[in-house]
Amino acid sequence: MNELRRVLVANRGEIALRIIRACHTAGIEAVSVYSTADENAHWVRLADEARHIGASPAHKSYLNVDAVLEAAVDTGADAVHPGYGFLSENEAFARAVKERGLIFVGPSAEVIAAMGNKSHARRTAVEAGVPVAPGTGPLTDVDAALREAEEIGYPVLIKASAGGGGRGIRPVFSPDELAEVFPGAGAEAAAAFGDGTLYLERAVEGARHIEVQVLADTHGNAVHLFERDCSVQRRRQKLVEEAPAPGLSDALRSEVADAAVRLARHVGYVGAGTVEFLVGPDEAVYFMEMNTRIQVEHPITECVTGVDMVAEQLRIAAGAPLSFAQSDVVLNGAAVELRINAEDPERDFAPTPGTLDAFTVPGGPGVRVDTGFVTGDTISPFYDSLLAKLICWGADRSQALARARQALEEWEIAGVSSTKALHRYLLDDERFRAGAVDTRWLEHRLCEGPWTAPQG
Amino acid sequence: MTTIKTAMPGVIYRRPSPEEEPFVREGETIEEGQTIALVEVMKNFNEVKADQSGRLTRFLVEDGDEVAISQDIAELED
């Protein structure tokens, strides 16, 4: 056991605040790091100490390994929590933290690397007895790709080994298209991820995105916290998440949960992680990838299980066992998360940096808002567009959705455009209300239009 | 002399990707509508296009610099 006294939060915005809260609740001090743009941020003020680590662009601050490490050592932190994004899945960072004698809140650098390479992760899943979609190992030339694609059957996805999170994926529908796209996809992957290795996977039509939350400690305990449905996506970026997945049978729920725990055990996983699956209309389950960090949508799992996941991350990092057993985890009610992004849905989701002139956060039973911002803040162009997450819990799905609808009504956001109006519409959409939409549904629905929120 | 300005704040890049050649070099002649840079705004890349033709004499920003909205980024000799 290494009792944590001081944790450096290597992130910004709502997740930085979430981690600061968890630290303080556990009697641990929190240190913020911030870029020039975030100098006066709400979450920075709430930390016990704060260090400026560089200019506003992320590569000069939040992605600067040396600056973050120096701040950690300098402020006497004994652990670093990376949050999500930025350096959270950077194996070199995890290794460097450890080499400085600090604790990295997350799995080992080796596990991050093994799961970070998506082609390697696929092979590992197979070894762990977790099903994958028909596909290939790493490919370098187009002739091999064409031969393999014949076996797999079209449409196939060209995926970058070093991609993930929905990036570096190109669907192709014919051999001609594959031959045309493959070389460019390799060059793109090399430029974007520093590795041009590609592999192919059969596209699963009509699939839902179902992911399982796992937690594992250093004492050999690995549990799941059930699943989330993140099928409401645009360009492979999630907009709405739900727990549990609407309409999923108990048998299928157990199947994905068991597979996720099996994979976590197989790789010697430690910390919070998410195993993502595609579930076909025939209920076939296929492993997609594993994210080795806390996830944006973790609060809905907290709502339906009562587990404070960031608190557990800190316990695990300190070498303590999980505070509960698998048999203690019971699903209670339903929760939905709506991502309120500073994007204009009426202008093809163009980002809208600006000043938050009004930001009246809603409340009431079962309503939770995670945000790093307050009225008057500048939403800078340098980082992602997430303004806030609206998380609503209900005794059942319809109550959770009704609370979300009321919360949106109360929420005034002015100064920047946001996805709030789109969510208002989605909550009234018959197909969404019926549940179990697939990952292409939102894009099709946006094309159909008009989606402008109903009056009143 | 006129200047080309940004339409969005963010981080400016003078090349399509780190390994590629710049969109345009100082001293080259550009056409109206030609892309001369990218501005990254909340992880989205937006093209900066020349609003008139002419010889681009000088860039006023470096690759990876922060830029404000309506900031002059290049000088044009018409």
Side-chain angles (χ1 to χ4, degrees):
Chain A
M1 286 276 298
N2 304 286
E3 200 183 332
L4 302 185
R5 292 171 300 104
R6 207 154 217 248
V7 171
L8 181 120
V9 184
N11 216 296
R12 66 180 301 279
E14 66 88 18
I15 196 63
L17 179 53
R18 173 76 186 87
I19 299 163
I20 292 167
R21 283 174 173 152
C23 287
H24 286 173
T25 309
I28 299 167
E29 290 183 337
V31 179
S32 269
V33 291
Y34 62 93
S35 69
T36 303
D38 290 335
E39 195 168 358
N40 298 310
H42 177 54
W43 70 88
V44 174
R45 291 196 295 271
L46 291 176
D48 300 285
E49 192 176 342
R51 281 294 162 97
H52 180 254
I53 50 163
S56 302
H59 64 270
K60 293 179 178 169
S61 48
Y62 298 105
L63 288 172
N64 184 338
V65 170
D66 291 335
V68 174
L69 280 177
E70 196 187 314
V73 172
D74 234 36
T75 55
D78 37 32
V80 175
H81 195 309
Y84 56 68
F86 296 125
L87 298 172
S88 62
E89 291 177 287
N90 181 317
E91 55 167 307
F93 180 65
R95 191 170 293 121
V97 168
K98 196 176 167 194
E99 281 168 4
R100 293 287 185 105
L102 307 181
I103 295 168
F104 179 78
V105 181
S108 67
E110 292 70 33
V111 169
I112 294 174
M115 289 295 119
N117 181 315
K118 302 307 171 188
S119 170
H120 184 265
R122 206 181 120 83
R123 196 172 66 229
T124 306
V126 173
E127 286 165 12
V130 172
V132 299
T136 71
L139 295 169
T140 44
D141 75 287
V142 68
D143 292 328
L146 285 165
R147 276 196 307 276
E148 298 262 17
E150 281 312 312
E151 300 276 317
I152 298 167
Y154 290 88
V156 294
L157 302 175
I158 305 177
K159 291 187 163 188
S161 290
R167 301 188 311 144
I169 301 176
R170 299 279 294 270
V172 290
F173 296 85
S174 66
D176 285 350
E177 197 181 356
L178 176 61
E180 190 187 318
V181 169
F182 194 86
E188 263 180 43
F193 313 113
D195 175 0
T197 310
L198 303 171
Y199 66 102
L200 301 181
E201 205 170 78
R202 182 194 286 165
V204 183
E205 303 279 325
R208 298 168 70 183
H209 173 123
I210 307 280
E211 59 183 35
V212 177
Q213 179 67 53
V214 294
L215 279 175
D217 63 22
T218 51
H219 301 265
N221 301 304
V223 302
H224 68 80
L225 300 179
F226 293 100
E227 83 286 358
R228 296 182 286 258
D229 184 331
C230 312
S231 302
V232 179
Q233 306 181 356
R234 182 182 163 272
R235 298 194 179 161
R236 300 181 196 275
Q237 299 304 312
K238 301 162 185 171
L239 264 169
V240 178
E241 298 102 338
E242 292 188 70
L248 201 70
S249 70
D250 287 344
L252 203 49
R253 173 164 295 123
S254 298
E255 185 184 339
V256 290
D258 292 348
V261 172
R262 210 153 59 230
L263 180 62
R265 286 189 189 283
H266 181 80
V267 299
Y269 200 80
V270 171
T274 297
V275 184
E276 297 188 336
F277 298 96
L278 287 174
V279 175
D282 57 355
E283 301 206 334
V285 172
Y286 305 106
F287 167 77
M288 214 172 0
E289 64 184 55
M290 180 169 194
N291 298 323
T292 55
R293 52 167 164 82
I294 191 80
Q295 212 130 332
V296 175
E297 59 272 25
H298 76 275
I300 52 172
T301 297
E302 297 186 318
C303 288
V304 296
T305 62
V307 174
D308 181 333
M309 252 152 51
V310 182
E312 292 300 322
Q313 282 190 299
L314 295 171
R315 277 182 64 92
I316 293 166
L322 286 171
S323 68
F324 59 90
Q326 183 70 71
S327 56
D328 299 324
V329 185
V330 180
L331 268 182
N332 177 26
V336 60
E337 172 179 281
L338 309 180
R339 295 196 193 189
I340 312 295
N341 298 332
E343 295 169 9
D344 187 350
E346 303 208 39
R347 288 194 303 127
D348 198 29
F349 294 81
T352 58
T355 302
L356 270 182
D357 296 325
F359 197 60
T360 55
V361 171
V367 176
R368 165 177 169 182
V369 174
D370 280 16
T371 180
F373 303 114
V374 295
T375 306
D377 275 353
T378 299
I379 306 305
S380 83
F382 305 110
Y383 316 108
D384 72 31
S385 61
L386 185 67
L387 275 183
K389 310 187 300 202
L390 171 63
I391 304 118
C392 293
W393 177 87
D396 55 25
R397 183 173 185 255
S398 80
Q399 188 181 42
L401 297 182
R403 283 174 169 171
R405 195 175 190 283
Q406 170 62 23
L408 291 178
E409 288 290 303
E410 291 175 25
W411 203 338
E412 191 193 349
I413 301 173
V416 301
S417 298
S418 82
T419 50
K420 189 187 79 162
L422 172 68
H423 287 304
R424 175 75 169 72
Y425 168 81
L426 292 180
L427 288 174
D428 284 344
D429 184 273
E430 272 180 41
R431 187 65 195 85
F432 173 76
R433 295 186 69 83
V437 297
D438 71 31
T439 57
R440 303 296 304 281
W441 171 75
L442 178 61
E443 286 180 359
H444 288 308
R445 194 65 197 80
L446 289 171
C447 290
E448 282 169 23
W451 58 264
T452 309
Q455 298 300 306
Chain B
M1 189 201 71
T2 55
T3 58
I4 300 172
K5 296 176 195 299
T6 54
M8 297 279 270
V11 178
I12 196 152
Y13 297 99
R14 284 187 48 199
R15 46 192 86 225
S17 70
E19 281 83 33
E20 289 176 74
E21 293 295 307
F23 289 107
V24 57
R25 294 176 192 280
E26 289 181 346
E28 286 178 356
T29 300
I30 55 172
E31 298 296 317
E32 183 185 338
Q34 185 178 335
T35 299
I36 67 154
L38 297 175
V39 174
E40 183 183 3
V41 189
M42 293 175 168
K43 297 185 169 179
N44 280 286
F45 290 89
N46 298 270
E47 295 178 339
V48 180
K49 293 185 172 166
D51 44 17
Q52 63 178 86
S53 307
R55 196 171 76 91
L56 192 153
T57 49
R58 192 158 73 100
F59 267 99
L60 304 168
V61 291
E62 298 287 327
D63 227 12
D65 275 358
E66 300 171 32
V67 292
I69 192 163
S70 298
Q71 182 176 332
D72 294 328
I73 60 160
E75 289 176 353
L76 210 58
E77 190 181 77
D78 19 26

